[in-house]
Amino acid sequence: MRTAMLYGAGDLRLVEIEKPVPGEGEVLVQVKAVGICASDIHYFRDGRIGDVVVREPIILGHEFAGAIAEVGQGVLNVKLGDKVAVEPAIACRKCDLCLNGDYNLCRNILFCGTPPTQGALREFLTWPAHLVYKVPNFMDYAEAAMLEPIAIGVYAVDLAEPIQGKTVGILGAGGIGISIMQAARAAGCGDIYVTDLISERLEIAKKLGATRTFQANEPGLVKQIISATGGRGLDIVFEAAGENEAVQQATEIVRPGGLVLVGGIPREDNMTLTASVVRRKGLTIKLIRRSNNTLERSINLVRDGKINAISMVTHRFPLERVVEAIELARDRRDGVLRAVIEL
């Protein structure tokens, strides 16, 4: 079967590998669509994310949807031909963190497309059946692939609860930022202020309910947002840009006693804060680690029209053009929000 295999930074090749066979409790998914995420870009560009290094050939991709091609022994939740979205994290469900319900922090977690677990940029893969979820037939596969970043947005809002009626900032209007924005709106937040460097992304944010949008690099941005809130500052700010400057901005535009949630993946494995700002304001700072048991809720939110998943898909490519797709997303060209590989 055709597969996109990463051999090292910048070295992504189309190769043929053997089609897998599902074991007991597993399904064989015929992959139909895979979103290009920031983590895929980091592995392609740098060969690493922090201390996770590509040392052996790895198949990238974890935002994906497909059709059930085979079912292993004992599988009852799905059947042949079902259209499914996939939870990419395999938690052990035995460690102390899993037993506490923190599956995203599992000490033994395996994550699709992160070394050493092979990912979804291939025609078929096997996966535990309890981690695949049927989606409505009206969704196209690219739309269903967006359910994974949406699940992160839903989880991020869980971390911020109670959010009802509160003013919210979203710094970075990529796939995760737009997912957080839509999840916050669905949860009943108040005004939403969104920043990004790409004007096309800000237009999408406006269409999906942003109260105001700002160019992230315009002079006096912090003062503009503070002024827009009547000098009060925002109640909750989500950082989803993957830039340390955005983390700093988040602490500056949030009100005293407010909450900052950091979700971006920085290229350099460090994050700095101005101690006097965060200390004097008495801020609470949380880190967003993937999602946690929110994929099914995300399916329901999209099904019920409370979140628009298809709006996030701005570019589509065949597998043969996967390098072009990743480079487009890496360089943030042509107003890209999410590039999706369709098989």
Side-chain angles (χ1 to χ4, degrees), residues 271-338:
M271 179 176 67
T272 58
L273 300 169
T274 302
S276 59
V277 172
V278 298
R279 178 173 57 82
R280 290 171 185 166
K281 283 189 171 182
L283 300 183
T284 298
I285 300 174
K286 295 183 179 182
L287 281 295
I288 303 165
R289 176 62 169 166
R290 296 173 178 160
S291 65
N292 187 21
N293 203 31
T294 52
L295 182 57
E296 191 167 16
R297 284 165 55 198
S298 301
I299 294 170
N300 294 337
L301 285 165
V302 174
R303 179 199 64 200
D304 295 342
K306 295 180 179 179
I307 288 181
N308 185 328
I310 197 64
S311 64
M312 296 164 59
V313 180
T314 56
H315 295 72
R316 300 175 187 239
F317 294 85
L319 185 62
E320 291 76 15
R321 295 172 62 194
V322 62
V323 172
E324 181 183 346
I326 293 177
E327 289 177 343
L328 174 78
R330 177 198 64 193
D331 300 337
R332 300 175 181 178
R333 289 183 280 108
D334 195 31
V336 63
L337 198 161
R338 260 304 184 266

Side-chain angles (χ1 to χ4, degrees), residues 75-143:
V75 173
L76 300 175
N77 62 312
V78 290
K79 64 183 185 303
L80 193 67
D82 281 347
K83 181 181 289 188
V84 294
V86 182
E87 165 57 57
I90 305 175
C92 73
R93 299 184 176 263
K94 296 178 181 178
C95 71
D96 57 329
L97 294 168
C98 284
L99 294 176
N100 194 47
D102 297 321
Y103 302 114
N104 58 321
L105 305 179
C106 171
R107 297 184 187 277
N108 308 299
I109 200 163
L110 299 173
F111 195 82
C112 188
T114 293
T117 307
Q118 300 294 346
L121 280 170
R122 48 177 156 161
E123 292 181 297
F124 295 90
L125 87 166
T126 54
W127 207 247
H130 71 277
L131 297 176
V132 302
Y133 295 82
K134 288 189 284 188
V135 299
N137 285 328
F138 70 77
M139 286 189 193
D140 89 356
Y141 286 106
E143 181 179 14

Side-chain angles (χ1 to χ4, degrees), residues 9-321:
D11 185 8
L12 186 67
R13 312 174 200 170
L14 285 181
V15 298
E16 290 283 336
I17 66 172
E18 188 174 348
K19 180 180 174 181
V21 177
E24 184 175 357
E26 292 184 333
V27 293
L28 181 70
V29 178
Q30 182 179 7
V31 180
K32 297 289 191 176
V34 186
I36 302 299
C37 177
S39 62
D40 301 314
I41 295 168
H42 280 274
Y43 286 127
F44 175 80
R45 182 184 59 199
D46 305 320
R48 67 187 304 147
I49 296 178
D51 60 358
V52 180
V53 181
V54 176
R55 302 188 188 280
E56 302 288 341
I58 183 77
I59 305 169
L60 300 179
H62 63 269
E63 299 178 357
F64 70 105
I68 300 298
E70 293 182 36
V71 295
Q73 184 178 352
V75 173
L76 300 175
N77 62 312
V78 290
K79 64 183 185 303
L80 193 67
D82 281 347
K83 181 181 289 188
V84 294
V86 182
E87 165 57 57
I90 305 175
C92 73
R93 299 184 176 263
K94 296 178 181 178
C95 71
D96 57 329
L97 294 168
C98 284
L99 294 176
N100 194 47
D102 297 321
Y103 302 114
N104 58 321
L105 305 179
C106 171
R107 297 184 187 277
N108 308 299
I109 200 163
L110 299 173
F111 195 82
C112 188
T114 293
T117 307
Q118 300 294 346
L121 280 170
R122 48 177 156 161
E123 292 181 297
F124 295 90
L125 87 166
T126 54
W127 207 247
H130 71 277
L131 297 176
V132 302
Y133 295 82
K134 288 189 284 188
V135 299
N137 285 328
F138 70 77
M139 286 189 193
D140 89 356
Y141 286 106
E143 181 179 14
M146 294 301 95
L147 289 163
E148 195 277 338
I150 288 170
I152 296 173
V154 172
Y155 173 60
V157 170
D158 285 350
L159 292 176
E161 289 288 9
I163 199 171
Q164 293 73 23
K166 294 186 178 179
T167 57
V168 170
I170 311 287
L171 306 188
I176 300 303
I178 291 293
S179 295
I180 294 171
M181 190 198 83
Q182 294 199 79
R185 187 171 59 91
C189 73
D191 289 343
I192 306 174
Y193 299 79
V194 180
T195 73
D196 202 277
L197 293 170
I198 300 173
S199 58
E200 291 91 342
R201 290 181 176 182
L202 295 178
E203 286 301 316
I204 292 172
K206 286 179 185 177
K207 291 176 182 177
L208 295 176
T211 306
R212 289 192 61 178
T213 61
F214 304 82
Q215 284 287 333
N217 59 354
E218 61 184 80
L221 175 64
V222 170
K223 288 183 179 179
Q224 286 189 57
I225 295 176
I226 294 294
S227 176
T229 64
R232 182 175 179 271
L234 299 167
D235 295 312
I236 301 168
V237 180
F238 298 89
E239 182 279 325
E243 301 288 346
N244 197 68
E245 184 179 358
V247 178
Q248 291 274 15
Q249 286 178 346
T251 65
E252 293 168 356
I253 63 177
V254 73
R255 66 166 173 81
L259 172 63
V260 172
L261 298 102
V262 179
I265 303 175
R267 185 170 187 179
E268 301 299 328
D269 193 24
N270 57 67
M271 179 176 67
T272 58
L273 300 169
T274 302
S276 59
V277 172
V278 298
R279 178 173 57 82
R280 290 171 185 166
K281 283 189 171 182
L283 300 183
T284 298
I285 300 174
K286 295 183 179 182
L287 281 295
I288 303 165
R289 176 62 169 166
R290 296 173 178 160
S291 65
N292 187 21
N293 203 31
T294 52
L295 182 57
E296 191 167 16
R297 284 165 55 198
S298 301
I299 294 170
N300 294 337
L301 285 165
V302 174
R303 179 199 64 200
D304 295 342
K306 295 180 179 179
I307 288 181
N308 185 328
I310 197 64
S311 64
M312 296 164 59
V313 180
T314 56
H315 295 72
R316 300 175 187 239
F317 294 85
L319 185 62
E320 291 76 15
R321 295 172 62 194

